[in-house]
């Protein structure tokens, strides 16, 4: 049975009875207060269930009372349970409706709001979501246009919307590239565009679809944006070609992305470099920046100069524009071109170390993002050489994977047929070039692949030298027994483990000379056989020549060491420490092959310059300290440059040549009368460093 009353017939539906009575008792409806044992009635009245009611012990949330009687308080008598949804259909003429929070809903493609329904102040519905289009068409239309069309918060397949979004993204991307926020028109302009074209009765996605289905046949471009309308009047003038989509470097095309978010690590221009191509991209190629940021870069560079120099280029923007107009980008390093042009304009030469690139704003320094074969970032930063050093092992693995059948180890003779100069393989859409070469393994020779021609060249030379030494009898023991006592004495004063070890070092230098005379390493079996025969024929005589040169070097070095041992003046400690360091850099185990046949006479001159320095040192220690400071500044710059280079480039000929230029500078400073084979100065060495770095 439903409801109270055991004497009611079973077939009686109590709910229907209550609903039938409710139409006449709408003002006697009550909503239970959850905090108090009373009901909220019509017009703010509050009543309780009469204690004699069957509902008194378990009062329901909603009730209606046949009568309201006031005694000690207001009581509801002859009460029955009801549901609020019964009330609203019966009280349509009495309820009051209010709406709040009209909002666009993407899923519904319509403007929705929350409806509140009250009867005599009693809330029948507190928050019911309803379609707001029929309630306030004007506001619904405005919200539809702003959210669905202007903001694109609508899942639809209309072509004009996709085309409009793409065009907006293009203009917004132009803002990112030009680093401006005034090119793209605001949302209000877009709203007015749609507002003028869409009828007043289009208030939802359903209404729009029905209207557009008819209109688009005759006016397919009615709602399509044009580029001109998206650009603020007078705010354009940006040449898109100044902000290219890709960077072209040494035959490689690399995509560019732009970000205008000051303070973020990748603010500015970012170059995406595939990991296999990392070591094939020269860092110096990016110093000119993209054309759109070049003028700002030059202005920032000039402003980085010390005030005493900068005052010659005021106003800075005018000088920057004039300098850029007179130089051709990309033909030489930016700082070299800028220095030369400013000198032509003003007669003022800017020292290279006066440029302070560390003061450049972050967005003017190109960022580099290295991507793996799945196009996922593996490293990111503004220092490309540092990234190349960091990822060297990963690059080597990829390059080795491009030539898996080439690697060899433990070779003692040429048994590899023809060694290809390059091997190319397409990986992730890029051509990866591997450079195979022989490598010196000590007692044997191997074959490995490298990611740069420079590493290939150095390793091929050393590997070929080792293979020649393995296949040609060593003359060391033969010559050791034929040395004069004087020669043995001179050669015994060496940094090697023995005279035999020294002669072995001399043989390495001799093989290098003979390889040079023959035109370099061989790349196939026949070429190596011819090279081996030539080395075998001339090796003994060449080693004899090398040993004669080494003997003079060691004799001069011994004289220097003797003088150093006899000098105990404490005021000369700094100079003597510097000389000992220089001597250790010149004479050490392996120095003969390192210096090479042609440079051994220069070592005698460098050592003689040390003797001349020692002659003058006691008379003027202060002057010696000043000259030593000049040398140390250059040497420190060289050490810093080498440390900053990728490991693959540290052994380049241009880099090693600077080390010998510093020795020539020592001769020029401490023993000028000895002469140098070419003009040398600090500035010439700094320029050589710029070339070696690729500036």
């Amino acid at each position: 049975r439903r409801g109270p009353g055991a004497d009611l017939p079973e077939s009686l539906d109590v709910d229907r009875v209550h609903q039938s009575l409710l139409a006449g008792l709408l003002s006697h409806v009550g909503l239970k207060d959850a905090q108090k044992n009373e009901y909220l009635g019509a017009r703010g009245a509050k009543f309780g269930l009469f204690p004699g009611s069957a509902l008194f012990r378990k009062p329901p949330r909603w009730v209606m009372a046949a009568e309201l009687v006031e005694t000690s308080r207001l009581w509801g008598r002859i009460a029955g349970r009801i549901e609020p949804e019964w009330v609203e259909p019966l009280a349509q003429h009495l309820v009051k409706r209010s709406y709040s929070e009209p909002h666009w809903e993407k899923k519904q493609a319509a403007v929705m709001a929350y409806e509140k329904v009250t009867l005599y102040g009693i809330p029948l519905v507190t928050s019911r979501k309803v379609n707001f289009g029929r309630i306030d068409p004007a506001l619904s239309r405005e919200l539809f246009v702003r959210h669905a069309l202007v903001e694109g918060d609508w899942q639809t397949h209309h072509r004009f919307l996709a085309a409009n979004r793409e065009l907006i993204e293009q203009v917004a991307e132009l803002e990112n590239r030009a680093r401006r926020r005034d090119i793209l028109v605001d949302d209000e302009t877009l709203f007015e565009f749609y507002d003028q074209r869409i009828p007043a009765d289009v208030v939802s996605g359903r209404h729009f679809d029905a209207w557009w289905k008819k209109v688009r046949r005759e006016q397919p471009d009615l709602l399509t944006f044009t580029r001109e309308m998206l650009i603020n009047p007078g705010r354009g003038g940006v040449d898109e070609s100044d902000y290219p989509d890709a960077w072209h470097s040494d035959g490689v095309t690399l995509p560019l992305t732009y970000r205008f978010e000051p303070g973020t690590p990748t603010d500015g221009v970012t170059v995406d470099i595939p990991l296999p191509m990392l070591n094939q991209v020269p860092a110096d190629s990016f110093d000119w920046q993209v054309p759109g940021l070049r003028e700002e870069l030059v202005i920032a560079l000039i402003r980085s100069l010390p005030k005493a120099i900068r005052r010659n280029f005021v106003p800075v923007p005018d000088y920057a524009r004039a300098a850029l107009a007179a130089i051709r980008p990309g033909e030489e390093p930016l700082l070299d071109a800028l220095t030369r042009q400013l000198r032509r304009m003003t007669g003022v030469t800017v020292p290279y170390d006066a440029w302070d690139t560390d003061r450049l704003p972050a967005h003017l320094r190109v960022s580099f993002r290295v991507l793996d074969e799945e196009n996922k970032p593996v490293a990111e930063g503004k220092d490309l050489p540092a990234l190349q050093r960091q990822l060297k092992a990963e690059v080597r693995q990829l390059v080795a994977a491009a030539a898996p059948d080439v690697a060899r180890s433990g070779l003692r003779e040429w048994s590899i047929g023809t060694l290809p100069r390059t091997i190319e393989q397409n990986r992730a859409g890029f051509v990866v070039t591997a450079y195979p070469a022989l490598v010196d393994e000590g007692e044997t020779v191997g074959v490995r692949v490298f990611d740069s021609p420079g590493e290939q060249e150095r390793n091929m030379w050393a590997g070929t030298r080792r293979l020649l030494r393995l296949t040609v009898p060593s003359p060391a023991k033969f010559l050791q027994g034929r040395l004069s006592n004087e020669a043995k004495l001179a050669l015994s004063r060496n940094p090697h483990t023995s005279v035999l070890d020294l002669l072995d070092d001399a043989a390495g230098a001799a093989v290098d000379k003979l390889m040079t005379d023959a035109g370099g390493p061989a790349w196939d079996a026949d070429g190596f056989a011819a090279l081996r025969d030539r080395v075998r024929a001339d090796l003994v005589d060449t080693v004899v020549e090398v040993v004669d040169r080494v003997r003079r070097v060691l004799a001069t070095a011994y004289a220097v060491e003797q003088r150093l041992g006899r000098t105990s003046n404490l005021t000369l400690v700094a100079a003597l420490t510097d000389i000992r360091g220089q001597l250790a850099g010149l004479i050490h185990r392996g120095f003969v092959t390192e210096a090479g046949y042609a440079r051994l006479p220069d070592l005698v001159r460098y050592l003689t310059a040390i003797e001349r320095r020692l002659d003058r040192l006691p008379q003027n220690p202060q002057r010696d300290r000043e000259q030593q400071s000049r040398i140390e500044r250059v040497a420190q710059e060289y050490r810093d440059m080498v440390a900053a280079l990728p490991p693959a480039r540290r052994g380049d000929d241009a880099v090693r040549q600077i080390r010998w230029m510093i020795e020539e500078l020592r001769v020029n400073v401490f023993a000028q009368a000895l002469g140098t084979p070419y003009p040398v100065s600090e500035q010439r060495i700094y320029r050589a460093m710029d070339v070696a770095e690729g500036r």
Side-chain angles (χ1 to χ4, degrees):
R1 245 182 225 173
R2 301 183 64 186
D7 54 344
L8 294 177
E10 280 191 29
S11 60
L12 183 63
D13 188 337
V14 177
D15 288 349
R16 294 186 63 183
V17 172
H18 287 181
Q19 291 177 43
S20 67
L21 296 174
L22 179 60
L25 298 173
L26 291 175
S27 62
H28 286 195
V29 171
L31 170 63
K32 188 176 185 297
D33 188 333
Q35 303 298 325
K36 301 177 182 179
N37 191 20
E38 63 182 8
Y39 285 82
L40 173 64
R43 302 178 184 86
K46 295 182 180 180
F47 65 89
L49 285 177
F50 189 68
S53 172
L55 302 178
F56 184 77
R57 293 184 179 276
K58 295 181 66 176
R61 180 167 172 75
W62 287 87
V63 297
M64 66 175 179
E67 58 181 3
L68 295 175
V69 178
E70 185 169 3
T71 56
S72 59
R73 59 172 300 183
L74 188 62
W75 297 101
R77 298 180 63 183
I78 314 175
R81 179 188 60 81
I82 64 170
E83 298 296 338
E85 55 266 26
W86 300 347
V87 180
E88 187 178 356
L90 299 174
Q92 292 288 348
H93 59 299
L94 297 174
V95 298
K96 292 184 178 180
R97 304 176 187 274
S98 60
Y99 302 92
S100 63
E101 301 180 43
H103 60 280
W104 169 257
E105 286 202 0
K106 179 178 181 180
K107 186 176 181 180
Q108 301 288 340
V111 176
M112 308 297 286
Y114 295 103
E115 182 181 48
K116 183 178 181 180
V117 182
T118 60
L119 173 64
Y120 298 127
I122 305 171
L124 301 177
V125 178
T126 56
S127 182
R128 178 167 60 200
K129 190 181 291 186
V130 295
N131 191 311
F132 199 59
R134 59 181 175 78
I135 299 162
D136 190 339
L139 178 57
S140 296
R141 177 181 179 277
E142 179 183 347
L143 292 177
F144 164 72
V145 172
R146 290 191 184 279
H147 291 276
L149 302 181
V150 175
E151 297 177 10
D153 188 23
W154 183 21
Q155 190 170 353
T156 184
H157 301 292
H158 292 305
R159 293 181 182 178
F160 80 89
L161 267 181
N164 289 352
R165 288 177 195 141
E166 183 178 352
L167 200 57
I168 289 174
E169 288 172 1
Q170 291 176 7
V171 179
E173 176 62 15
L174 185 60
E175 285 190 328
N176 281 336
R177 299 184 182 201
R179 302 185 67 77
R180 292 167 54 180
R181 287 288 181 253
D182 60 351
I183 299 177
L184 180 65
V185 297
D186 59 16
D187 286 353
E188 199 61 35
T189 303
L190 304 183
F191 174 80
E192 291 174 3
F193 173 87
Y194 287 119
D195 187 44
Q196 293 169 4
R197 290 162 174 78
I198 297 175
D201 59 348
V202 174
V203 298
S204 69
R206 181 175 58 84
H207 291 88
F208 181 90
D209 291 342
W211 168 76
W212 183 239
K213 184 177 181 179
K214 300 175 183 178
V215 173
R216 69 185 177 189
R217 294 170 184 159
E218 298 179 0
Q219 298 176 281
D221 297 327
L222 176 66
L223 300 179
T224 302
F225 295 160
T226 63
R227 190 176 185 85
E228 291 71 23
M229 68 148 288
L230 291 179
I231 295 178
N232 271 313
R235 301 296 176 89
V238 178
D239 189 346
E240 293 186 52
S241 64
D242 287 343
Y243 305 91
D245 295 323
W247 190 281
H248 303 281
S249 174
D250 287 2
V252 178
T253 300
L254 303 170
L256 297 179
T257 55
Y258 297 81
R259 189 175 182 185
F260 183 23
E261 295 184 18
T264 60
T266 55
D267 183 35
V269 184
T270 297
V271 183
D272 288 338
I273 305 176
L275 184 60
M277 312 297 296
L278 180 59
N279 285 348
Q280 299 179 33
V281 178
D284 58 287
S285 62
F286 300 96
D287 62 346
W288 283 89
Q289 255 290 356
V290 296
L293 296 178
R294 195 169 293 150
E295 181 179 317
E296 186 182 355
L297 171 62
V298 172
I299 291 173
L301 283 169
I302 296 176
R303 285 176 173 163
S304 76
L305 296 171
K307 185 176 181 180
I309 301 175
R310 188 175 67 247
R311 66 177 58 169
N312 296 289
F313 313 119
V314 176
V316 171
D318 293 347
Y319 274 89
R321 281 189 288 270
L324 278 175
I327 57 183
R328 297 186 63 180
E331 292 189 348
E332 59 183 317
L334 171 61
L335 292 182
D336 289 353
L338 188 56
T339 300
R340 186 186 65 257
Q341 186 57 35
L342 291 176
R343 183 172 63 246
R344 288 178 180 175
M345 294 167 62
T346 63
V348 177
T349 299
V350 179
Y352 189 84
D353 57 1
W355 299 107
D356 188 358
T357 55
D358 291 337
R359 292 182 58 190
L360 291 177
H363 72 275
L364 294 178
R365 299 172 59 204
V366 176
S367 297
F368 304 95
R369 180 166 50 217
V370 184
L371 307 176
D372 62 16
E373 293 186 82
E374 296 180 356
N375 223 31
K376 295 179 180 178
V378 294
E380 197 167 358
K382 293 186 178 292
D383 188 341
L384 181 56
L387 291 174
Q388 290 170 332
R389 292 193 298 272
Q390 175 186 338
L391 299 173
K392 183 171 181 60
E394 289 83 349
V395 174
R396 277 185 171 173
Q397 288 178 0
L398 282 174
V399 172
D405 301 327
V406 176
R408 296 285 190 279
S409 183
L411 301 177
R412 300 186 67 86
E413 59 182 14
W414 190 285
S415 58
I416 54 176
T418 299
L419 188 62
R421 302 291 182 104
T422 59
I423 298 174
E424 293 184 347
Q425 186 184 76
N426 191 302
R427 298 181 71 89
F430 290 88
V431 176
V432 179
T433 304
Y435 300 90
L438 296 178
V439 292
D440 184 355
E441 296 177 336
E443 298 299 323
T444 58
V445 171
V447 179
R448 281 175 48 194
V449 292
F450 297 91
D451 52 30
S452 69
E455 278 193 299
Q456 178 194 42
E457 180 182 347
R458 288 192 299 277
N459 283 278
M460 187 65 185
W461 190 281
T464 304
R465 179 204 300 141
R466 175 59 62 190
L467 194 57
L468 288 169
R469 297 294 309 280
L470 291 171
T471 55
V472 175
S474 174
K477 291 185 179 180
F478 171 78
L479 291 174
Q480 187 177 20
R482 286 163 176 74
L483 292 173
S484 65
N485 291 333
E486 180 185 359
K488 288 180 180 179
L489 179 62
L491 295 178
S492 66
R493 299 164 180 153
N494 67 71
H496 297 67
T497 58
S498 64
V499 173
L500 189 62
D501 188 28
L502 174 64
L503 292 175
D504 194 61
D505 189 11
V511 170
D512 282 348
K513 179 185 183 301
L514 294 172
M515 260 206 294
T516 302
D517 295 344
W523 292 85
D524 56 37
D526 293 340
F528 181 79
L531 179 61
R532 181 192 58 213
D533 293 343
R534 180 167 181 174
V535 170
R536 181 186 288 119
D538 298 332
L539 183 58
V540 174
D541 292 340
T542 307
V543 173
V544 170
E545 294 178 25
V546 173
V547 168
D548 186 57
R549 296 184 175 201
V550 170
R551 181 180 57 79
R552 290 195 292 271
V553 171
L554 292 177
T556 311
Y558 179 71
V560 171
E561 288 174 348
Q562 292 295 101
R563 292 191 62 176
L564 289 174
R566 293 195 300 268
T567 305
S568 58
N569 189 337
L570 294 179
T571 61
L572 309 180
V573 169
L576 298 180
T577 301
D578 177 61
I579 291 172
R580 288 190 177 94
Q582 181 189 3
L583 189 61
L586 294 173
I587 310 299
H588 52 266
R589 187 169 186 261
F591 82 91
V592 183
T593 301
E594 179 186 290
Y597 176 90
R599 199 176 295 279
L600 286 171
D602 291 332
L603 263 61
V604 176
R605 186 163 47 85
Y606 301 154
L607 294 167
T608 304
I610 294 177
E611 291 187 296
R612 301 285 177 87
R613 180 183 180 183
L614 289 171
D615 291 340
R616 297 187 177 93
L617 181 58
Q619 286 77 35
N620 197 341
Q622 178 61 32
R623 175 173 173 75
D624 186 274
R625 278 194 293 273
E626 293 171 357
Q627 293 171 326
Q628 180 182 326
S629 296
R630 292 172 54 191
I631 303 295
E632 181 55 34
R633 281 195 296 271
V634 177
Q636 186 60 50
E637 286 282 343
Y638 175 65
R639 289 191 291 269
D640 292 343
M641 183 203 78
V642 172
L645 287 174
R649 293 192 52 210
R650 294 175 185 174
D652 287 355
D653 289 339
V655 176
R656 290 185 295 172
Q657 177 61 26
I658 298 171
R659 179 255 187 277
W660 299 113
M661 289 180 71
I662 295 174
E663 292 296 337
E664 296 293 348
L665 181 63
R666 285 180 175 274
V667 173
N668 196 45
V669 168
F670 294 113
Q672 194 171 21
L674 292 177
T676 58
Y678 48 81
V680 66
S681 65
E682 290 99 312
Q683 291 305 318
R684 291 177 186 270
I685 294 176
Y686 288 141
R687 283 198 292 272
M689 289 184 193
D690 294 342
V691 172
E693 285 184 302
R695 290 179 181 168

